[in-house]
Amino acid sequence: MAALEDLFASGHRACAGCGCALTLKTLMHVVGPNVIIANATGCMEVIASPYPETAWKVPWIHSLFENAAPVAAGIEAGLKATGRKNDTKVIAIGGDGATFDIGFGFLSGVMERGHDILYLCYDNEAYMNTGIQRSGSTPYDASTTTTPSGKISFGNQRPKKNMPAIMAAHGVPYVAVTSIGYPADFTKKIRKALSIEGPKYIQVHATCTPGWGVDSAQSIEILRLAVETAMYPLFEYENGEVTSVHKIKDRKPVREYLEKQKRFSHLFKMPGGDKEIEKIQQLADANAARFGLDVKPKAPQGAAPEK
């Protein structure tokens, strides 16, 4: 079998263990060459296109933090107007800062107007490119440069914005949450999204090794722990309804996820940290209950059925 061509080429400036770069490399293996990419300002734009070089081997345009989605919508509309849309895919890519915060209103407009594009948000949970500032996606109690842990704070005190539910509320046909720690799940959801006409939104959990303070060799292990603890549930919405979830057998405590990351290390040192970890455990428990994530043990043979 011929090797797949890397349409997101090596030689870019991403850190070792970068989950976002792995996301784009995998994305392009799935999508192939018949695609036009609109890329918001952010980590992946910076590491992939330092003038005069580029890692992209497909048509690609860099836009501002806020308007990758409308640029993609304009490309889609132009292709349709000139009769050249055919099977060409149009994908907008942004980090969580561009998606949850700065480009939120623009993305909402594109979703509401029904453009046939896929919007891919690589979610590394802060503004990593500009110095690890908090975004609307930063998890509770994470220490960032704008929500530092210290004598008067355990870090970010706001919950993570529920972007998948907001996108689903637009009435779009497909919304999915995935993790590059589960490449088969990511691949399946990308393929499914591209088979659907209309606006689609996929959010992928992806490591930032310096921003999270993790060993690059543990990048995938930590992403999988996020799923195995219910800190980052994987699911799909179709036409506003949850249609599938990634079940968890023997769910792990959130401590196993938190203790491997420097951004949460203060919780294991500061007085009161145990209570904060318990709050995070409650958030994970709520995720598990909401999506029915836990695989229930089978009843022993001969046992009375559960009422």
Side-chain angles (χ1 to χ4, degrees):
M1 178 183 294
L4 290 173
E5 181 185 6
D6 280 330
L7 297 174
F8 184 74
S10 59
H12 53 69
R13 271 66 163 174
C15 304
C18 175
C20 305
L22 180 59
T23 295
L24 298 188
K25 187 180 183 72
T26 309
L27 171 74
M28 296 313 301
H29 278 169
V30 178
V31 174
N34 193 14
V35 64
I36 300 174
I37 303 282
N39 197 164
T41 295
C43 298
M44 292 301 98
E45 170 264 320
V46 171
I47 63 95
S49 59
Y51 182 82
E53 301 167 356
T54 180
W56 295 95
K57 294 185 177 180
V58 297
W60 174 92
I61 183 170
H62 165 223
S63 188
L64 303 176
F65 252 123
E66 64 269 29
N67 61 358
V71 167
I75 293 169
E76 181 255 4
L79 290 173
K80 283 184 174 177
T82 56
R84 295 185 294 170
K85 177 68 170 64
N86 300 321
D87 294 327
T88 303
K89 308 299 183 187
V90 181
I91 300 177
I93 297 173
D96 50 284
T99 306
F100 285 57
D101 301 339
I102 301 173
F104 176 75
F106 296 83
L107 174 59
S108 176
V110 169
M111 293 288 118
E112 182 270 331
R113 291 193 295 272
H115 290 280
D116 183 24
I117 72 161
L118 167 62
Y119 189 95
L120 178 70
C121 171
Y122 58 91
D123 182 14
N124 59 15
E125 302 188 317
Y127 291 86
M128 300 306 187
N129 173 51
T130 52
I132 318 175
Q133 295 92 0
R134 174 197 176 275
S135 78
S137 179
T138 300
Y140 183 77
D141 271 350
S143 183
T144 72
T145 53
T146 50
T147 57
S149 60
K151 292 181 180 178
I152 61 172
S153 174
F154 284 101
N156 176 48
Q157 293 299 290
R158 299 297 304 159
K160 188 181 182 83
K161 188 186 292 184
N162 192 344
M163 274 297 290
I166 295 170
M167 290 294 102
H170 285 71
V172 301
Y174 188 69
V175 173
V177 177
T178 183
S179 167
I180 200 58
Y182 290 79
D185 184 81
F186 174 78
T187 298
K188 180 186 73 174
K189 288 171 178 172
I190 292 291
R191 286 203 175 104
K192 186 171 182 176
L194 294 177
S195 72
I196 296 171
E197 180 83 13
K200 290 82 64 176
Y201 174 86
I202 291 183
Q203 183 174 304
V204 52
H205 202 208
T207 337
C208 174
T209 52
W212 294 13
V214 300
D215 188 319
S216 59
Q218 294 184 312
S219 181
I220 297 300
E221 176 189 347
I222 289 168
L223 287 170
R224 295 182 77 91
L225 276 172
V227 175
E228 292 165 355
T229 57
M231 287 288 290
Y232 210 93
L234 309 186
F235 55 89
E236 293 173 291
Y237 280 105
E238 293 182 64
N239 299 308
E241 300 292 332
V242 176
T243 54
S244 76
V245 300
H246 177 89
K247 293 281 190 177
I248 306 170
K249 185 179 180 182
D250 301 325
R251 181 158 53 95
K252 296 178 179 177
V254 297
R255 278 181 175 272
E256 292 190 26
Y257 174 63
L258 303 176
E259 66 187 3
K260 293 182 180 296
Q261 303 175 62
K262 188 176 180 180
R263 61 178 175 161
F264 296 114
S265 62
H266 54 284
L267 299 177
F268 298 89
K269 302 172 185 174
M270 293 172 59
D274 283 344
K275 289 185 178 179
E276 292 301 303
I277 293 172
E278 182 55 34
K279 291 180 184 177
I280 297 172
Q281 183 63 59
Q282 290 171 5
L283 294 174
D285 292 344
N287 286 337
R290 178 186 174 202
F291 291 104
L293 299 179
D294 292 322
V295 175
K296 295 182 179 178
K298 293 182 179 178
Q301 287 186 343
E306 188 176 339
K307 295 183 179 178

